[in-house]
């Protein structure tokens, strides 16, 4: 079943909240192991930097999603206005045709 879902057997059996976090990037893992050997103050500083970068990324993602939503709404309004203008022009043209007869 794990193969069909393209996950490990551990991911299938063990609840996500119960598993140990794992880092697949070997370089990142080696660097994080080195961080654990730094003085406590430096380790805390690095943790704060990483947390700040993650918050920054989350914020940028939220902003991008909001901008896309705004653009979609804007395009929808432009489309509605375009249809209204076409309707008014056709109505005006039709009424002019009736008045010339």
């Amino acid at each position: 079943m794990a193969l069909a879902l393209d996950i490990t057997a551990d991911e299938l059996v063990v609840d996500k909240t119960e598993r140990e976090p794992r880092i697949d990037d070997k370089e990142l893992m080696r660097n994080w192991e080195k961080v654990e050997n730094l003085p406590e103050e430096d380790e805390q500083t690095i943790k704060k930097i990483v947390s700040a970068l993650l918050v920054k990324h989350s914020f940028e993602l939220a902003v991008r999603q909001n901008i896309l939503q705004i653009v979609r709404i804007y395009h929808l309004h432009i489309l509605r206005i375009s249809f209204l203008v076409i309707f008014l022009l056709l109505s005006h043209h039709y009424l002019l045709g009736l008045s010339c007869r």
Side-chain angles (χ1 to χ4, degrees):
M1 182 182 265
L3 288 175
L5 297 172
D6 194 29
I7 59 174
T8 66
D10 182 53
E11 290 172 309
L12 185 63
V13 176
V14 180
D15 183 25
K16 189 175 187 175
T17 58
E18 294 175 6
R19 280 184 297 189
E20 289 292 318
R22 94 172 190 243
I23 300 175
D24 293 327
D25 185 319
K26 301 289 185 211
E27 181 183 7
L28 185 60
M29 186 64 185
R30 281 191 303 271
N31 286 336
W32 200 257
E33 288 170 354
K34 291 176 187 175
V35 166
E36 291 175 340
N37 295 324
L38 292 174
E40 180 66 24
E41 184 178 330
D42 292 343
E43 186 177 338
Q44 291 304 317
T45 300
I46 290 172
K47 288 179 181 179
K48 288 176 184 176
I49 291 169
V50 170
S51 293
L53 285 171
L54 293 172
V55 168
K56 175 185 169 270
H57 175 72
S58 295
F59 179 75
E60 288 172 347
L61 182 62
V63 167
R64 263 187 266 129
Q65 289 172 341
N66 285 337
I67 288 173
L68 286 174
Q69 185 65 24
I70 290 168
V71 167
R72 285 186 193 113
I73 292 169
Y74 174 76
H75 283 150
L76 183 60
H77 286 304
I78 293 297
L79 186 62
R80 287 178 179 161
I81 291 169
S82 299
F83 280 126
L84 180 60
V85 168
I86 291 169
F87 174 76
L88 292 172
L89 288 172
L90 289 174
S91 298
H92 180 72
H93 180 71
Y94 177 77
L95 291 175
L96 281 177
L98 286 179
S99 64
C100 292
R101 291 183 184 177

